[in-house]
Amino acid sequence: MSAVAGRADTPLDRIPDIDYGAHPLFGRGAGRPGPAARLAGYLRYAEIVAYVVGLRLWQLAARRPWTESGATPHLEELRRDGIVPLRLAPAARADVLGAAEPYFDRLAERRRAIERGRRRYADGQLDTTRAGAPALFAAVERALTDAGILASVRAYLGCRAVVRKVTMQINDEWDSFWREPFESRGLPLPETAFFHVDNTYDVVKVIVYASEVGATSGPFSYVPGTNRLRTGMLEGLWLRATDIWIDVRPEHGALLPTLPRALRRRAKFGDDIPPDAEWGRRLLAQERVLTSAAGDALLFDVGGIHRGGLVARGERRILQIMMR
Ligand SMILES: O=C(O)CCC(=O)C(=O)O
Ligand SMILES: [Fe+2]
C-alpha cells in the first residue's frame, strides 16, 4: 500500500502527506531519542520556527510593490511552467563567465584541499555578495537586464526584485550529499531523491551552465507547473522550518514522526517519498530534465519542485543567481 495519499488522476497540485513513521530514514530503525534529546530537539525546532516566522514578517514588511513597465518576454512561460530555458547573448555570457572565473578558481582550490569522498554539499558552493564581487554583479545584472530577465522576474514577483547573491557551484561524481543518507544505512536510493522546493520565500533564480551538462553530469530538472502548487501559509512555514531543522541537525530526524501530523513535512521531500507511491511516479513522469543542449541559462521559481547536481560522471559547473 502506498504511504502517500493521492491517485494517478489527481492533479499535481499539493504536496501530499508522507507517513514519516514508516520511513526508514526517520521512523522505525532511526533510533529512539531519550527524553533529554527530545527536549533539546523540540527547543531547537521552536527556535527555527521563530526564525522563519520573523524572517517572513520582515520580508513582507520590507516588500515594495512594483508594476513593471518594461518588456517582460519570459513572464507568461514563467507563470505557466515555473521554468524557462534560455540562451544568453554570446557576449553577455562571455562577460558573466569571465567575471566568475576567479571565483570558480577559488572554489576549485578549496575543493582540492578536501579529500574527494569527504566533500559536503556546502563544499560545492562559493557565495558572493554585491560588496564583495562588484564586477561579477555588474556583469550579471547587465546580462539579466539586457535579456529582459530582471523585468520578467519583477513582474512575476510583483516587487522590485534585485540580485541578492551569486553563487559559484561545482559538483562532481565524488559528491555524495544526495546518496549518503541512504548509502550509509544500506538503503536503496529512491528515484525521487533530492526533489525539493527551496526553503526560502519569493525567490526566482537563474542558473547559468558554465560547463557542458549532459544527462550524466547532473543536469538541473524541474516539474513544470509545480510553481502553482497550493501550499497554505502554515504548511509553507512547517515545510521550511522542518527542512532547516533537519538540515542543521540531521540527528533530529528521528523526532519527525513524533511531531503533530500537520508539522510532518519538509521541503526536501524527494528523499522521503516511498518507492511505490503514485505521487512519486507522477513526479518522475513529468520531470523535465534540462541539459545544456536545452539552454545555457535556466530561469525558475524555486517554489516549484526541482533537483540537480546529482552527477554520475565527470564534473559540472554552474552559476546560481538569486533574485528576490
Ligand atoms: O544544483 C542544482 O542543479 C540544483 C540547484 C537548486 O536546487 C537551486 O538552485 O535551488
Ligand atoms: Fe533548489
Side-chain angles (χ1 to χ4, degrees), residues 127-150:
D127 289 335
T128 58
T129 57
R130 185 180 302 276
L136 175 58
F137 268 65
V140 163
E141 274 166 349
R142 230 174 7 249
L144 297 183
T145 304
D146 292 352
I149 296 171
L150 197 57

Side-chain angles (χ1 to χ4, degrees), residues 126-272:
L126 181 97
D127 289 335
T128 58
T129 57
R130 185 180 302 276
L136 175 58
F137 268 65
V140 163
E141 274 166 349
R142 230 174 7 249
L144 297 183
T145 304
D146 292 352
I149 296 171
L150 197 57
S152 302
V153 170
R154 288 177 173 175
Y156 182 74
L157 294 176
C159 71
R160 198 179 169 282
V162 293
V163 176
R164 308 270 171 175
K165 196 165 73 175
V166 180
T167 302
M168 318 315 121
Q169 185 172 321
I170 304 179
N171 297 108
D172 63 30
E173 64 193 74
W174 306 101
D175 289 349
S176 63
F177 63 88
W178 49 284
R179 297 181 268 119
E180 193 279 332
F182 301 94
E183 283 180 351
S184 64
R185 293 172 175 85
L187 298 169
L189 183 75
E191 279 186 85
T192 52
F194 204 55
F195 265 136
H196 67 275
V197 298
D198 281 15
N199 58 30
T200 47
Y201 279 105
D202 296 338
V203 165
V204 172
K205 282 182 187 170
V206 166
I207 281 182
V208 179
Y209 280 140
S211 61
E212 202 174 300
V213 180
T216 57
S217 39
F220 178 82
S221 73
Y222 200 94
V223 184
T226 51
N227 55 312
R228 291 180 274 110
L229 278 176
R230 288 185 293 121
T231 32
M233 198 180 66
L234 283 174
E235 183 189 358
L237 171 66
W238 311 137
L239 272 176
R240 289 167 175 86
T242 311
D243 198 67
I244 297 171
W245 182 39
I246 294 176
D247 259 0
V248 293
R249 301 299 297 270
E251 69 275 20
H252 290 167
L255 294 178
L256 193 50
T258 72
L259 293 179
R261 193 184 165 92
L263 275 60
R264 286 181 227 149
R265 332 182 87 358
R266 64 170 190 150
K268 206 174 78 195
F269 49 78
D271 285 2
D272 314 337

Side-chain angles (χ1 to χ4, degrees), residues 102-118:
Y103 301 100
F104 273 118
D105 289 346
R106 202 185 296 169
L107 174 59
E109 193 178 324
R110 209 180 72 192
R111 279 173 69 81
R112 271 195 298 275
I114 307 166
E115 207 185 312
R116 279 167 167 177
R118 308 190 80 87

Side-chain angles (χ1 to χ4, degrees), residues 257-300:
T258 72
L259 293 179
R261 193 184 165 92
L263 275 60
R264 286 181 227 149
R265 332 182 87 358
R266 64 170 190 150
K268 206 174 78 195
F269 49 78
D271 285 2
D272 314 337
I273 302 176
D276 59 346
E278 181 55 45
W279 194 70
R281 278 202 291 276
R282 251 182 306 146
L283 282 185
L284 292 167
Q286 293 175 31
E287 178 180 24
R288 183 166 169 200
V289 177
L290 298 138
T291 61
S292 53
D296 54 29
L298 309 163
L299 168 66
F300 64 102

